[in-house]
Every structure is written in C-alpha cells, then in structure tokens.
Amino acid sequence: MEVSRIRALRGPNFWTRLTALEAVVTCTECEADLDQLPNFLIHLRALFSDVKPLRPFGHKDPITLAHALEAVSLGLQAAAGCPVAFGQTMSTPERGVYQVVFQYTEEPVGRLALELAEALCLAALNAGSFDTTRALARLRELDEDVRLGPSTGSIVHAATARGIPYRRLTEGSLVQFGWGSKQLRIQAAETGNTSAIAEAIAQDKDLTKMLLEAAGVPVPRGFIADTDTQGWEIANKIGLPVVVKPRDGNQGKGVAVNIETREQLSAAFKIASEISRDVIVEQYIPGHDFRMLVIGNQLVAAARRDPPAVIGDGKHTVAQLVDEVNTDPLRGDGHATALTKIRFDEIALATLTMQGFTAHSVPEKGKRVLLRNNANLSTGGSATDVTDEVHPELAARMVTAAQMVGLDIAGVDLVAETILKPMEAQRAGIVEINAAPGLRMHLSPSFGKPRPVGEAIIASMFAQGDNARIPVIAVAGTNGKTTTVRLTAHLLSVSGKRVGMTNSDGVYIEQRCIDTGDCSGPRSARNVLLHPDVDAAVFETARGGILREGLAFDRCDVAIVTNIGIGDHLGMNFINTVETLALVKRVIVQNVAPHGTAVLNAADPQVSKMAQVCPGSVTFFALERQHPVLNTHRAQGKRVVFCDDAHIVCSEAGQEQRLALTSIPLTRNGTISFQIENAMAAIAAAWALGLEWSTIRAGLTSFVNDAQTAPGRFNVFDYRGATVIADYGHNPDAIQALVQAIESMPATKRTVVISGAGDRRDEDISRQTEILGEIFDHAILYQDQCQRGREDGEVLALLQRGLKNVSRTKEISEIRGEFLAIDTALATLKPGELCLILIDQVQEALDHIAQRIAEA
C-alpha cells in the first residue's frame, strides 16, 4: 500500500461539509481484496479492537486495504477523544487506486492519525506489532496541544451556535469572528474592544489599587517594597499577617498569603521578585477567595476558589497524597481540563512548613493539609459556583471596579467573609483585577452549576440577531465566471457597498488590485474575508480550489453556476466526465444558506438539476423564454430571468422588470449571446440580494467591458480600421460561444491567433481549431514557452489536426512565441478585417496589444 497526495479539505468540499483529509491510496492486487487476506482482520482487531466494521452498509464491492486505512484513521481519532464520524473510500478510474477521505477536528491530529493508521495496517498485514496505547497517547497529547483551550473554545462554541463564522488566525488563541467589515477578534478572553491601556493598568497592581480607592471600592492597604527588609518594615506598619505578591503578574504566580514571620516574608519576597522587579506587601484579609467575572456592565459568574489541599489517611505521606490526587483524570498539566494538577514546589513546601509538615510527613486520618494559601486554579485549586448567591450591591461594586480599570471583560479577585452581604457590611477587599481571565472555573466548576460565560462574551460583542456575516456570492462554471464576477461586484459597488472580489486575474478590494495571477481559489477568498474594508464579497470559485482545499466559507448567500463544458480540465484529479465535473461545481449550490439563492442556467441540463440540492431558493435564467425548465419554474410563481424582445426580463409571480439590452454595453446591443447570459446571472444575483432596480439599471449601464475592467473577456479594439478582439477563451465551449458572437460582426476577412493549454486532453485542443476553422480565413498557431508537460511542437500538431478537414481556414501559420504571433497578425490586418487573439498571458498580452495600437 502506498499513500500519496494528502490534502486537507478545510471547508465544505466534494465529499462533505466537514473538515477532512483526502489521500490517494494505491493497493496491490491482494490488498485490493481483503477476502484474499483472511488473517488481516484478525491481526488488525488484535492490535486495535476499537476499529469499526470495514464493510459499509450495502457495500458489495471487495473491501480493500484502503477501506481499512479509512476505518483505522477514524477509529484512532475517536479513541483519542476526537468527535469524528465521517469517512469514505472510493475507487478511481485507475485500477488499484482509491481516494480515502476521513473527518478530522484538528488538522495535525488528522495527519498523525493517518500516519499511525498506515503503520498499524501494515503491521496487521505483516503479522507484526504495534503499540496502540502509545499511539493513542500521542494523539491525545497532540490534540490537547493544538486544540483551543477551554476559555477560547467556549467563546467559539457560543459563536458557532449563533451562526457566527470564525477563523483561527494562529496556532494559539487568536480568533476572528465574522467576515470583512463585520469582523471582531478575541485572544482567549480578551476582545478587540479590550484596551491595551486597561490591560496595562490591570497588570500594575499598585495602580489598580489607587484607581479603585479613588472610586471608593474597598482594597487592602499596601505598599511597594524594594527589598525584603523594607517589606518587613511595611508588614509591621500595616499589621501582620500580610500578602506578598509581584506588582506585575497573573494566574497567582508568586503570590504568598497569610505571612506572619520574617523568614516567611523573605522566602515569599524572593519568589515574587523573580517575577517582577517591584514587590507589593499588603494587608491580609481573612475570608474566602472569590473570582467574580464581569462582562460589559454585568456580573455574569462568581466562584469561590479553595486552595489545593490533601486529606490525610494516616498511611501515606503528603507527597504520596498529592500524587494520588493528581491521578484524577479531571486534573491536567495545562488549562484543557477542569482542574490543574497540584504543584509540589517551593511555595508548597513553605506552606507545609507553616503547618508543621514536610513532604514526608504522614498526616493523621481526616487532617486537611494545605499546599498553598492562594486558591488559583492554575496552581491546583478548586472552584465552587456561587453566582446565584451574590448580593446585588456587591455585584455592582464588581462592575464599578472593572469599569474603573477600563476592562470590558474582567476577572475580579475578591476576598470576603461572604458574598451574601455588601462589601461595606463586612471585612472585604478587591485584591486584584485580571484582564483575559480564565473561564474554566465558571465553565466546569468543581462543584455547582456551569455558567454560559462564552455566550455572555459573544452577546457583549454582537447584538442579538447579528451573525457578523457579509453577503457572499460564489460563481462557478466553465465559461463566463470572471465577467459575471466583475459585473456582480460592480452592481454591489454601485449600491454603496465596499466590495472584495477574487477571480482568475487577481484579488480586488474596492476595485484596487492587491494580488495578481489566478486567485480563484480558497486562499484568496479567505484573504478577502479577513479584510476589514469589505462589505460584500464576490468569489470566482474554481474547480481546482474546491478539489484541493474545499470552500473558503461555510455558506454563501448566492451561488451562480454559469454552465458546465466538456473542456474544463477533464482527465485531471480523477474527473473524467462532465457529470463528475458537475458534482464538483455544485458544491457551492449545496452550501447556499437557507435564506440564500442559487442562480442556475436552465438551458444546461447539468446545471439545472443542481436545483435539487439547493437548501435555499432557486432563480433560473436562459436566453430562451420558452425553455421548459424556465417555464415550469415561472408557472410556480418563482423567479426567472430570460431574454425577450431585446430586453432582459426578470419575472416573479406575474410581476416583471424589463431591462433594455441597448442599455447594457456589455452585450453590444444584444449581439453577444454569452454576454447576455453573464448579465442575466449577475442581475439575478443582485435581485437575490435585494438591490433596488434603479441601482441595477445604473450598474448595468455604467459597466464597461474593456481591458482595464475585464481583461481578457471579449475586449474589443480598433486597429487601423480593423477590429481586434482579445479573449482568454481556452476550451471548446468558450470557443463556440466566441464564434457565435463573431459571426454577428461583419468583416471582410477573419484571422484567429491561438495556442493550446498542454494540460488539456488531446481532443479538447484539436476541437478548438476545428470550431474556429469553420468561420476564420487565416489561423496563426503559436507555441508559448510553457507547454505544461507536452513535448516541443506537440500542441501545434494537435491544433493542426483540428484544421485538417475544416471548410474555411485555408491559410495556416505557425509561430513560436505569443507576442510574435500577435505582431504577425496585426501586421497583415487591413481596414474592415477582424482578428480574434486568444491570449494566454492575459495582462502582458493586453499591454502588448495596447502598445501596438498606440504606436499605430
């Protein structure tokens, strides 16, 4: 078995809406039928008993080693605690070659699972050994390292429940919610609204106390000490016992409480000074330690924190009791579990000494032994939810404290005898305010009720009903995609929106090009959704990007499919038929939002039947108003767009809007059929998005299809009285559409300049010149530098083959180089003639043509 071409499908894709890995797996003849290897399953289950049955329900074909790889990859992840279920294995047209697809929740974990599954399957195949326990431990460890922590995870989960899209921007906890101009970001429990100044204030405990005192909020009295000697003087001044803590710190690091002797203070001062240059010595307030979570202007959760402790049994030492407590599966080394393992460090040993114990002491049965005086969860403490017990006046004080510092989300540390009374009615004080507070104690308290704090944070960021999405339009098809994208983007711009657009020419933000080249894949689309100046996005969605990585979005508002042609990369990536190609392109239709619309070409059978899988509504368009699919849809009162009496007509439930073709320059007064279809698709998209008809009319009139606004899309030039057309048409269907348009344009002689993409099928390359040869007098065939895997002269020979039996083309020239071919054609042109130049290097070729026209 050989595993190759592993792809991470990070968005909705050909197989599933879920994130998944896809691998190409090649099996030997025996491996392609496990019935020939009866001992394999016995060995496999001996090594990994949790593997699910390999034969899917209703599957009658032979079960292969590829099926085993899929099942084991899924099974290992599931056994490691990952919530995965989807898997599929499909044979390809190549004998013994399979596509294996399985779900992952974290990409590195999925990749490791595939690697381990391959090793396990080969071990079973060869009756070898495999350490399944170690493999699962590796997966669990990696999953804990890479997945979001509990605080960030709870916020993401809350956003997802509200339909708010998110994207993880780093391997850490920096996450973007929403798209374009509606985006907001968080990092753990900090939001984009969290002020850097407020965070700096919270870090400075002395400044925080000063501000709280100014607001009349009780705080313990204390001062900064430069040395432990000065610290002891302060302690005696304010009265023992005291608390020693670093001025700049978090998570309880370096904090020592209930200090009563000089020796204890010196030891605590040493630890605190390693964290911060300045050390605070302040009053110790006896009572319980409470963490109060303030979000916006509300106290949303409260927890009593208890310091880490063990209970003696009269048999085991303190160290052994700590080890036993740390075996609890709820305790981990980081923040991924409900509790953290108890630290057995210098502070723990010092705390034991204060109680008259050492690590080797054996406490009597029932004796509670503290390992720390502070109760932070990060050092092994526990939490009890007390949200429902908080006195309203005390809650108001917590909100005041957070607002005085300036934090939108704050963890307020309160020491008090009880939270049932106001602070003034007892001895109580706020000892610290934390930015980016941990949420774990509220999400999974050791005791009491979990609180929906993630939901509260999302509610503070986004108003009720706001899903932080901008309109997304996806355009797929064989031909017409780029023009449709550009026209749709233009209509949205006229409506006042700032538009981000991707197509095969580049990435554009408000008509400014920020990247060049073929940008019709998901990476470019994701970049647009990241941009803060985008109110709407229009994406050309190419077949290659869908197969390579899936979609850049989870759903779109409008999906346009222009047509499905026979020349669009058939024979690549196991896509050998138009029917299979249609399944790839319909992915955007399958992922239309329930409130969204699919705009489909009724005249293309492969496109029109995509309506069956659209979760939203459907608008059909066609040149022929009496097309059966269109008529049926129209009879049901649904939206249709068609051509009638030199108008584009938009009809719904008997109501019509008529748009004169003469006012749509793109169509050249209605003479270019494929441009009419492109216009109809864009109009239907704008209609679906609720644009005013006056806006749509203005946009259609003002859209200019020249080399600047739509490079390589039927760009028409005048050259010394001759008509020159530059187009990027590169498959038989595009050529056929061009021929129909050019036949309506008068010319005394027609010349075509053409090459062929070497990665297309032989028959598709020849078919192009076969079509062109019926209406052009002179064919100039050129070979470009990049032959895409073809031998020298091979593409020219295929182009020549297509011209062998044509009726019109009698003059044939062969040229090496695109620009030389263009110059050759222009040199022979006379007034009244027409030349079609099928360009390859779009912008470079257009610039070359423009230069020659300027020189003329």
Side-chain angles (χ1 to χ4, degrees), residues 696-719:
I696 294 173
R697 293 176 193 278
L700 292 171
T701 301
S702 59
F703 181 75
V704 178
N705 188 58
D706 59 18
Q708 284 70 47
T709 57
R713 272 71 193 180
F714 209 80
N715 303 142
V716 181
F717 307 89
D718 179 78
Y719 181 76

Side-chain angles (χ1 to χ4, degrees), residues 330-556:
L330 292 178
R331 289 188 182 270
D333 292 316
H335 291 249
T337 49
L339 295 168
T340 301
K341 289 182 178 180
I342 297 174
R343 293 183 189 173
F344 207 67
D345 53 14
E346 290 183 16
I347 296 177
L349 293 172
T351 307
L352 288 175
T353 300
M354 292 171 60
Q355 301 167 82
F357 293 109
T358 69
H360 305 293
S361 298
V362 179
E364 63 185 46
K365 187 173 182 179
K367 178 67 177 178
R368 186 169 184 263
V369 181
L370 295 179
L371 277 303
R372 257 176 171 74
N373 286 312
N374 67 308
N376 292 72
L377 261 66
S378 57
T379 55
S382 60
T384 302
D385 178 72
V386 293
T387 306
D388 295 333
E389 301 173 18
V390 180
H391 192 281
E393 290 185 25
L394 189 145
R397 286 291 201 184
M398 301 301 107
V399 174
T400 298
Q403 291 179 339
M404 197 66 188
V405 172
L407 290 171
D408 59 326
I409 301 174
V412 181
D413 290 344
L414 168 72
V415 176
E417 297 168 1
T418 177
I419 55 168
L420 296 170
K421 300 178 183 178
M423 293 181 70
E424 292 77 10
Q426 58 178 315
R427 190 178 178 189
I430 291 176
V431 297
E432 194 170 335
I433 296 183
N434 300 275
L439 307 180
R440 196 168 39 141
M441 69 188 77
H442 309 299
L443 296 165
S444 302
S446 312
F447 309 98
K449 184 174 167 185
R451 298 291 168 173
V453 293
E455 287 83 346
I457 291 174
I458 287 296
S460 74
M461 297 172 67
F462 300 101
Q464 186 64 36
D466 181 6
N467 62 13
R469 294 173 182 267
I470 61 173
V472 168
I473 301 91
V475 182
T478 298
N479 297 306
K481 298 188 296 295
T482 302
T483 300
T484 302
V485 163
R486 286 184 174 276
L487 178 55
T488 304
H490 179 72
L491 295 178
L492 286 166
S493 294
V494 171
S495 76
K497 292 189 181 297
R498 296 171 297 174
V499 182
M501 172 180 67
T502 67
N503 55 42
S504 53
D505 300 326
V507 177
Y508 298 81
I509 305 295
E510 290 194 89
Q511 301 178 355
R512 181 172 61 88
C513 183
I514 65 169
D515 196 6
T516 57
D518 188 346
C519 297
S520 57
R523 182 175 302 177
S524 298
R526 281 196 296 268
N527 289 343
V528 167
L529 294 176
L530 275 178
H531 204 289
D533 296 331
V534 173
D535 302 322
V538 188
F539 300 136
E540 182 173 335
T541 310
R543 160 213 58 86
I546 296 174
L547 291 172
R548 199 168 49 245
E549 200 175 338
L551 299 178
F553 44 85
D554 60 338
R555 63 178 190 246
C556 56

Side-chain angles (χ1 to χ4, degrees), residues 6 138 206 361 368 515 517 531 585-586 593 599 629 691 693 735 855:
I6 301 169
R138 288 179 64 190
D206 196 49
S361 298
R368 186 169 184 263
D515 196 6
H531 204 289
K585 295 190 181 282
R586 81 172 187 181
V599 176
V629 172
L691 269 65
W693 286 108
I735 299 300
E855 292 170 353

